[in-house]
Amino acid sequence: IRNNHQTRSEYYMKITFLGTGTSCGVPTIGCQCPTCSSQDPHDKRLRCSALLEEGDTRLLIDCGPDFRQQIMPLPFSRIDGILITHAHYDHVGGLDDVRPFCQFGEVNVYADPNARQSLLKMLPYCFEEHRYPNTPVIRLHEIHPHEVFNINGIDIMPIQVMHHDFPILGYRIGGLTYITDMKTIADSELEYLKGTEVLVVNALRRTPHHSHQTLDEAVAFAKKIGARQTWLTHAAHSIGKHDEVNNILPPHIRMAYDGLVVNI
């Protein structure tokens, strides 16, 4: 609820979809399918990531190998936190590229214990006591499901979803719930999603996959949550063209696309 002292910039949060593709991106190397051959810019999908902005605070969800390409067109300013869903390469492979942002101070990265340990092994040179000159200055924070933490006055609640049999994190931030790489979610987690206004959730393809939701599964999940808007992300080329998929979706459930900006 907005009080009389809140300005518009303090009240509204903005999410920019930096990437909406799966681990191979779209177009996929060597593929000539209709999606990969499409000239529609909505069918060009970099690896999955999003930028949240509220006032002067900027939060990045995941930092994949396309991060440099994704961030270059945007204003160069401090990143106040990077929220990691899990440490698969398509979600963390761009962390070395945050080094220019270290001129604003250390970059704070938030990850659960599994992801934290993976990052220590993946980027050991960033965390050594005597670091090599010009390596990124990253501070790792360990976070846990349902334990709220705060960045510049923004409350962030990690939630737990299952990536096949591997527990990973989604995030509830105000009216936004952001989930990627989910196959299933426990009923006990749904309590933390109540009141979601804008839902972001993964929809990989139309045929079954062992560790990701299909399009039909994502739509069923969106209907269960009942958000005002649902945006589907982490899509492979085999899901089809952006416009063709949107034509079979309910009006309040849409395919996200790279560069899409949504105000919350």
Side-chain angles (χ1 to χ4, degrees):
I1 298 174
R2 183 178 180 180
N3 65 46
N4 292 332
H5 300 290
Q6 288 177 305
T7 66
R8 184 180 182 89
S9 62
E10 290 171 333
Y11 181 67
Y12 286 92
M13 178 166 58
K14 179 174 74 172
I15 178 170
T16 302
F17 289 85
L18 302 180
T20 57
T22 187
S23 56
C24 294
V26 182
T28 299
I29 294 173
C31 183
Q32 299 298 320
C33 77
T35 308
C36 290
S37 302
S38 171
Q39 297 305 305
D40 184 349
H42 295 93
D43 293 323
K44 312 298 183 186
R45 305 172 188 146
L46 298 174
R47 265 68 72 93
C48 197
S49 178
L51 181 68
L52 305 182
E53 297 174 88
E54 184 174 302
D56 295 328
T57 298
R58 303 206 308 168
L59 306 176
L60 185 68
I61 302 181
D62 287 336
C63 186
D66 297 321
F67 171 72
R68 182 182 182 278
Q69 180 180 352
Q70 292 164 336
I71 207 70
M72 284 289 284
L74 301 179
F76 179 61
S77 60
R78 179 183 176 89
I79 295 175
D80 297 283
I82 301 177
L83 314 179
I84 301 299
T85 60
H86 63 299
H88 287 170
Y89 185 78
D90 57 316
H91 293 265
V92 298
L95 278 173
D96 185 88
D97 288 326
V98 304
R99 66 177 70 188
F101 295 90
C102 294
Q103 66 183 267
F104 302 107
E106 63 185 4
V107 175
N108 292 285
V109 174
Y110 300 80
D112 70 9
N114 287 331
R116 182 179 182 276
Q117 287 303 313
S118 294
L119 292 176
L120 289 173
K121 294 176 182 178
M122 189 180 300
L123 299 163
Y125 57 91
C126 295
F127 308 108
E128 294 171 346
E129 183 177 354
H130 301 291
R131 286 192 301 270
Y132 188 81
N134 298 320
T135 55
V137 183
I138 296 174
R139 183 182 177 192
L140 265 179
H141 302 262
E142 186 170 297
I143 57 176
H144 302 271
H146 315 143
E147 295 182 5
V148 176
F149 60 99
N150 187 283
I151 300 176
N152 293 353
I154 301 173
D155 286 336
I156 301 163
M157 177 183 287
I159 58 173
Q160 184 171 279
V161 303
M162 299 303 294
H163 187 20
H164 184 43
D165 58 357
F166 178 50
I168 66 172
L169 296 181
Y171 291 98
R172 176 68 188 271
I173 307 170
L176 170 71
T177 296
Y178 185 100
I179 295 171
T180 186
D181 286 45
M182 178 177 78
K183 179 60 178 179
T184 59
I185 183 170
D187 288 342
S188 58
E189 294 294 317
L190 300 181
E191 180 70 25
Y192 300 101
L193 276 59
K194 286 184 177 179
T196 296
E197 287 288 320
V198 175
L199 172 66
V200 178
V201 70
N202 58 294
L204 182 71
R205 62 191 194 190
R206 304 192 194 197
T207 55
H209 191 274
H210 71 282
S211 63
H212 291 269
Q213 288 189 135
T214 64
L215 179 62
D216 286 345
E217 288 169 336
V219 169
F221 178 72
K223 290 179 177 178
K224 179 183 292 188
I225 300 306
R228 177 174 52 83
Q229 288 182 317
T230 294
W231 296 98
L232 304 181
T233 192
H234 205 281
H237 62 152
S238 56
I239 202 171
K241 295 182 181 179
H242 178 271
D243 287 346
E244 292 174 354
V245 178
N246 271 346
N247 285 339
I248 64 171
L249 291 174
H252 65 289
I253 303 175
R254 302 278 91 184
M255 291 287 291
Y257 55 88
D258 293 18
L260 171 67
V261 178
V262 176
N263 291 312
I264 305 167

